[in-house]
Each structure stands twice: as C-alpha cells, then as structure tokens.
C-alpha cells in the first residue's frame, strides 16, 4: 500500500495541489494536509473492504465498470471538480455511514472545515 500512496502523492504534488486548493479556496499547505491525512485513510478503508466476504470481487467489478484510472491522466479535471460526483460515490461506498465522522476527523487534522474536506 505504501507504494500506491507514494505514487498518488507524487501525482498530486505541485500544480494539481495548488489548483485543488484554489478551487476550494484554501492554501496549498491545507490542501497538502488534506491529501496527506485523507489518502492513507482512504487506501486503508479500501483494503478493509476487500477483507470482507465478496469485497475483493465487488471492488474489482466497481473498478472495471466505473473507474479505469484515467483520472490520474486528467489531474486538471480532478482539480476542476470533474470527478466530484464519482469521488462522492466512492467515499459513500468505502466509508459508508462513517463518512461524516471520518471527514470531520481528517478535516480537523488538516485544518480544513468538514464541507471542504468532503
């Protein structure tokens, strides 16, 4: 998992982080804090979901159906909000009823408000 984290963090460094921060109206440092706090949590939640019965199959089907990885080739689109609806769906699926609490904790850690973190 750490290599995935490193790759995603590298992909979001610099200009993508600045653009996301500009769109959200927060500093680059706050945006980076949100990424640093939220990304490991999201990867951990995905990992936990695959440990449930049928979880690996469900994740594989969702990825095949909806998420081909092209977002990593369209970081401008990510920064502009093109994937907000997809992201909300992923968070709902991965975090379930805990989404609000998780967003609140990560937001507090990153120095963001909960709505911005979501």
């Amino acid at each position: 998992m750490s290599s995935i984290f490193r790759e995603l963090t590298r992909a979001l460094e610099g200009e993508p982080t600045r653009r996301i921060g500009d769109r959200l109206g927060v500093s680059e440092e706050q945006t980076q804090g949100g990424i640093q706090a939220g990304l490991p949590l999201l990867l951990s939640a995905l990992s936990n979901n695959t440990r449930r019965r049928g979880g690996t199959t469900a994740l594989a089907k969702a990825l095949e159906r909806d998420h081909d990885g092209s977002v990593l080739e369209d970081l401008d689109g990510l920064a502009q909000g093109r994937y907000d609806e997809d992201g909300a769906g992923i968070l709902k699926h991965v975090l379930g009823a805990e989404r609000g609490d998780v967003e609140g904790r990560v937001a507090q850690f990153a120095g963001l408000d909960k709505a911005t973190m979501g």
Side-chain angles (χ1 to χ4, degrees):
M1 185 162 56
S2 63
S3 64
I4 293 171
F5 173 76
R6 280 193 304 273
E7 287 299 316
L8 291 173
T9 300
R10 270 191 220 126
L12 293 171
E13 284 178 346
E15 188 62 23
T17 297
R18 282 190 288 283
R19 293 179 106 188
I20 292 168
D22 288 348
R23 184 173 148 260
L24 297 174
V26 299
S27 72
E28 184 177 347
E29 291 77 22
Q30 288 174 302
T31 305
Q32 190 64 37
I35 292 168
Q36 293 294 322
L39 193 54
L41 192 135
L42 182 58
L43 292 173
S44 178
L46 280 168
S47 178
N48 287 341
N49 282 352
T50 62
R51 290 186 188 117
R52 295 183 186 140
R53 185 176 192 168
T56 302
T57 302
L59 177 60
K61 285 181 181 179
L63 290 171
E64 183 180 308
R65 183 183 63 244
D66 299 322
H67 309 288
D68 62 5
S70 62
V71 66
L72 296 176
E73 296 171 9
D74 186 20
L75 295 176
D76 285 339
L78 176 68
Q80 295 168 10
R82 224 174 274 154
Y83 300 95
D84 286 0
E85 190 174 316
D86 289 342
I90 291 168
L91 290 176
K92 180 180 178 185
H93 177 78
V94 172
L95 301 174
E98 295 180 41
R99 179 179 173 187
D101 291 337
V102 170
E103 286 176 354
R105 289 190 306 255
V106 173
Q108 185 178 16
F109 177 83
L112 299 165
D113 64 60
K114 187 176 174 179
T116 300
M117 191 66 229

